[in-house]
Amino acid sequence: MTMHTPSRRRRVGVGPRFGVALAAGLALLATACGGTTRSDVVASQSAAPAASGAASASANPNAPLKQGLKIAFLPKQVNNPYFTVSDTGGADAGKEFGAEVKEVGPSDASASSQVSYINTLIQQKQDAIVISANDPNAVVPALKQAMAAGIKVVSYDSDVAPEGRHLFINQASAEDLGRTQVQLLAEQIGHKGKIAVLSATPNATNQNTWIEFMKDELKKPEYKDMELVKIAYGNDDDQKSFTETQGLLRSYPDLKGIISPTTVGIAAAARYLSDSPYKGKVKLTGLGTPNQLRKFVKDGTIEGFELWSPGDLGYLASYAAGALASGQITGAEGEKFKAGRLGEYTIGAKGEVLLGKPTVFTKDNIDDFDF
Ligand code: RAM
């Protein structure tokens, strides 16, 4: 299996997916836990202000990274190029420090399917689970069982309630991401007109947190002539996202812009718009991968959008999992660990580690990126 870490000016193969273990046939309980409503979401992408699952054991910063650690990535869904890139980054890191990294997960972005996978990973005695959660709370009981069994839990991309994990690897400041997406769209539509959001699943921790900041940004006087008319959910499903975009334009023919803070949503919305009379008239921005959106930037459907490096996110999450499982860190604020070529990171409040700043992609720079 070939794995590459996407980076600037480097051809990146989103090569054959590695170790996608389908749990089909495993008759495990898919816990139908109550979901989390949008209003439950708080600013830091953490679902509750509780202490993180950090163990009370003390850290040994000089402990070497253990060899042969078993680290399992459990993304929101596996058939999503964004997660293929991030989890490939995780596998690249694993190769560097001698860990066995695999990716497992559902093809739909649902929390109940993730619970089944967590249960299987507990049985397999993985050393660490790295999860992007479809719901901040529904997966927590299973993750608590994993932690009780000695498994280290790292959330990345989309957080879980802090008591369900040791660390959260956040891609960028949630506040920045929320506000800048509104700023990007406002510039494109001249600060005027009806706008909509095309999100992922209704319970996704990351999207809901960003949307709260979008709403807050829209309260500022410079947006007084902009109106958020609808938040639609494409469930990180390509076809549903496409249909939801169509529905938005049908319900609001005078819509001026759409923000889609999901790589699946923005790609589907771009496909719909590019082939419609709205192309270039209804502006579209949000979070997407350059490789999925390049042609829509070139054909004038999209002016600008943003994203962090998903490969770096997975790479950092892998090193964090390795450091936890080796006893270098416990997840407490102020502890430091090294993440290979990315350098040293310090754990912040509520067990959060920040990757860095996102990049804005436009026709002027999109060809410099390949992921
Ligand atoms: C989708 C997922 C993921 C999000 C990106 C931007 O791939 O919803 O969680 O971070 O979009």
Side-chain angles (χ1 to χ4, degrees):
M1 71 194 176
T2 322
M3 258 154 251
H4 309 272
T5 300
S7 66
R8 214 173 156 157
R9 291 194 186 89
R10 243 200 306 153
R11 182 79 213 158
V12 177
V14 178
R17 178 164 299 129
F18 57 95
V20 176
L22 292 174
L26 287 170
L28 288 166
L29 266 188
T31 318
C33 293
T36 304
T37 56
R38 270 164 285 146
S39 55
D40 295 333
V41 176
V42 296
S44 73
Q45 240 214 66
S46 299
S52 82
S56 49
S58 60
N60 175 5
N62 299 319
L65 283 171
K66 285 184 186 162
Q67 289 296 296
L69 289 171
K70 290 197 287 180
I71 301 176
F73 273 68
L74 176 49
K76 283 180 173 177
Q77 55 181 172
V78 289
N79 55 347
N80 175 339
Y82 166 84
F83 285 114
T84 304
V85 176
S86 65
D87 299 356
T88 299
D92 286 343
K95 271 192 215 145
E96 289 176 6
F97 63 86
E100 222 179 275
V101 176
K102 69 172 177 179
E103 181 200 53
V104 296
S107 54
D108 64 318
S110 90
S112 56
S113 330
Q114 284 190 312
V115 170
S116 310
Y117 282 94
I118 296 166
N119 289 335
T120 306
L121 295 171
I122 297 172
Q123 287 173 357
Q124 293 172 345
K125 300 193 187 337
Q126 295 290 320
D127 292 297
I129 296 174
V130 182
I131 181 172
S132 168
N134 284 313
D135 183 299
N137 298 320
V139 290
V140 166
L143 291 176
K144 280 186 168 169
Q145 281 175 24
M147 293 195 292
I151 298 174
K152 303 301 175 189
V153 177
V154 174
S155 58
Y156 75 124
D157 178 69
S158 183
D159 199 9
V160 299
E163 65 268 25
R165 47 72 169 165
H166 295 94
L167 278 183
F168 169 46
I169 311 299
N170 196 355
Q171 46 269 60
S173 147
E175 174 163 4
D176 269 13
L177 283 173
R179 294 192 192 285
T180 53
Q181 288 174 75
V182 170
Q183 289 157 12
L184 277 171
L185 187 63
E187 279 164 29
Q188 294 169 12
I189 65 171
H191 287 77
K192 209 172 173 145
K194 290 183 181 156
I195 64 164
V197 170
L198 174 67
S199 190
T201 56
N203 292 345
T205 328
N206 50 349
Q207 274 87 13
N208 286 343
T209 309
W210 303 329
I211 290 169
E212 288 309 309
F213 282 113
M214 288 180 200
K215 288 182 183 161
D216 194 62
E217 179 70 12
L218 284 166
K219 286 184 190 147
K220 294 183 180 167
E222 59 261 45
Y223 307 108
K224 66 178 181 349
D225 296 326
M226 279 170 62
E227 187 195 355
L228 175 60
V229 291
K230 169 103 177 162
I231 298 173
Y233 298 94
N235 291 350
D236 270 349
D237 174 90
D238 175 71
Q239 196 48 48
K240 176 141 170 68
S241 304
F242 186 91
T243 315
E244 288 292 326
T245 311
Q246 205 169 19
L248 283 173
L249 272 315
R250 201 168 286 152
S251 307
Y252 306 96
D254 55 344
L255 199 68
K256 288 285 177 287
I258 299 173
I259 299 176
S260 188
T262 142
T263 60
V264 180
I266 196 171
R271 210 170 69 245
Y272 174 76
L273 291 177
S274 70
D275 208 19
S276 79
Y278 303 109
K279 179 178 169 183
K281 296 194 180 104
V282 173
K283 303 294 181 182
L284 173 65
T285 192
L287 306 175
T289 66
N291 285 358
Q292 281 184 291
L293 300 185
R294 180 170 289 104
K295 69 169 184 241
F296 302 113
V297 168
K298 301 218 165 169
D299 79 4
T301 306
I302 296 180
E303 276 178 35
F305 64 97
E306 60 185 323
L307 200 71
W308 49 92
S309 162
D312 284 354
L313 181 66
Y315 182 92
L316 176 56
S318 227
Y319 267 99
L324 278 168
S326 304
Q328 274 182 9
I329 54 174
T330 63
E333 185 172 356
E335 289 173 354
K336 294 177 194 305
F337 65 98
K338 289 202 174 64
R341 61 174 163 74
L342 295 178
E344 190 176 74
Y345 283 79
T346 304
I347 300 172
K350 288 193 208 153
E352 192 170 313
V353 177
L354 200 62
L355 174 68
K357 283 206 171 292
T359 301
V360 174
F361 306 98
T362 65
K363 63 176 172 25
D364 298 331
N365 68 351
I366 195 159
D367 285 336
D368 295 341
F369 296 89
D370 193 1
F371 60 84

